[in-house]
Amino acid sequence: DVKVTQSSRYLVKRTGEKVFLECVQDMDHENMFWYRQDPGLGLRLIYFSYDVKMKEKGDIPEGYSVSREKKERFSLILESASTNQTSMYLCASRRGPKETQYFGPGTRLLVL
Amino acid sequence: GQSLEQPSEVTAVEGAIVQINCTYQTSGFYGLSWYQQHDGGAPTFLSYNALDGLEETGRFSSFLSRSDSYGYLLLQELQMKDSASYFCAVRDYGGATNKLIFGTGTLLAVQP
């Protein structure tokens, strides 16, 4: 079974803090994704990566950056957290361009 | 812009059949997927249609009409455990860097 894990289920941070969200997949998948999920807005893509050290902006990249130094790990970074970044963050991975996406359990981030 | 329209909520009773519609308007189209998400859980893949017609997987079926930019998910013999959010998602491109564009989700409530 594919397993996508995220470093925290719940996280509370203060405005202005630098926040790291980690995602690890154990199936040697090429592609990895970061989404945020907000009520009524569905899943919106922040960034994705189709190879190590490669990254592409999604629909809402502002205020975020990412890092993919190893194939199995994709990190989402909030350089200076703001209250409007309070959200559920979901990581996903897939093997190839036509394959199914597998999601992690999500990190619920609260920025105070 | 790119958009996927789904009803926000649907209610049905156990044992019934329910259809969740999805209309899309995207710059590229390489297939329509459906994902299920239980409250507090990760989205999980249900089905994928690349070509017109009906795909059946057990109690769930998915339909696509590319000429109408329309698809639906059909759930038969509803069970209480089917209560969840359902998302349609369009694959926007055929190459390696393709991504999924998600709808805003339909909350299905199954009543006894």
Side-chain angles (χ1 to χ4, degrees):
Chain A
D1 270 356
V2 175
K3 195 160 186 183
V4 181
T5 57
Q6 296 183 228
S7 49
S8 306
R9 290 301 307 270
Y10 301 94
L11 211 51
V12 181
K13 295 291 182 181
R14 297 214 172 269
T15 303
E17 279 193 78
K18 191 168 186 175
V19 182
F20 293 86
L21 301 183
E22 301 282 331
C23 175
V24 177
Q25 49 92 3
D26 67 355
M27 287 300 291
D28 202 36
H29 283 177
E30 306 290 334
N31 307 137
M32 297 188 74
F33 307 82
W34 274 107
Y35 296 86
R36 65 176 282 176
Q37 183 174 23
D38 301 287
L41 297 178
L43 283 76
R44 293 180 293 165
L45 183 64
I46 305 171
Y47 267 97
F48 66 108
S49 169
Y50 53 92
D51 203 351
V52 176
K53 297 192 186 293
M54 306 298 285
K55 61 185 179 184
E56 293 274 344
K57 291 181 180 179
D59 299 316
I60 50 164
E62 296 79 17
Y64 303 94
S65 62
V66 289
S67 172
R68 186 136 182 235
E69 296 297 318
K70 293 185 177 181
K71 193 174 187 180
E72 67 270 19
R73 188 179 299 268
F74 192 33
S75 303
L76 180 70
I77 304 152
L78 288 68
E79 297 289 342
S80 177
S82 63
T83 54
N84 63 13
Q85 292 179 309
T86 290
S87 186
M88 168 70 88
Y89 290 88
L90 289 161
C91 175
S93 74
R94 71 172 187 225
R95 181 174 300 282
K98 297 183 181 180
E99 302 295 318
T100 299
Q101 267 183 216
Y102 295 88
F103 284 84
T107 296
R108 192 169 292 280
L109 173 67
L110 173 62
V111 182
L112 298 173
Chain B
Q2 311 206 83
S3 67
L4 284 81
E5 301 276 342
Q6 302 178 236
S8 58
E9 292 183 29
V10 173
T11 302
V13 295
E14 259 188 308
I17 299 172
V18 72
Q19 178 174 313
I20 299 173
N21 298 321
C22 174
T23 57
Y24 58 88
Q25 189 172 14
T26 56
S27 55
F29 180 84
Y30 283 81
L32 184 72
S33 300
W34 288 91
Y35 282 77
Q36 178 192 59
Q37 185 181 29
H38 285 100
D39 192 28
T44 55
F45 172 79
L46 288 178
S47 69
Y48 176 65
N49 294 71
L51 302 175
D52 290 351
L54 192 68
E55 293 281 342
E56 296 180 74
T57 309
R59 294 188 297 114
F60 294 2
S61 304
S62 58
F63 172 82
L64 174 64
S65 169
R66 288 174 296 170
S67 60
D68 295 321
S69 298
Y70 164 76
Y72 65 73
L73 180 70
L74 190 74
L75 296 84
Q76 302 182 73
E77 301 172 19
L78 280 174
Q79 302 176 8
M80 297 296 292
K81 67 178 181 179
D82 297 329
S83 293
S85 291
Y86 293 83
F87 294 89
C88 60
V90 164
R91 189 184 302 281
D92 69 341
Y93 170 60
T97 59
N98 76 78
K99 57 188 187 293
L100 291 180
I101 302 165
F102 282 84
T104 53
T106 298
L107 181 62
L108 170 64
V110 180
Q111 297 177 340

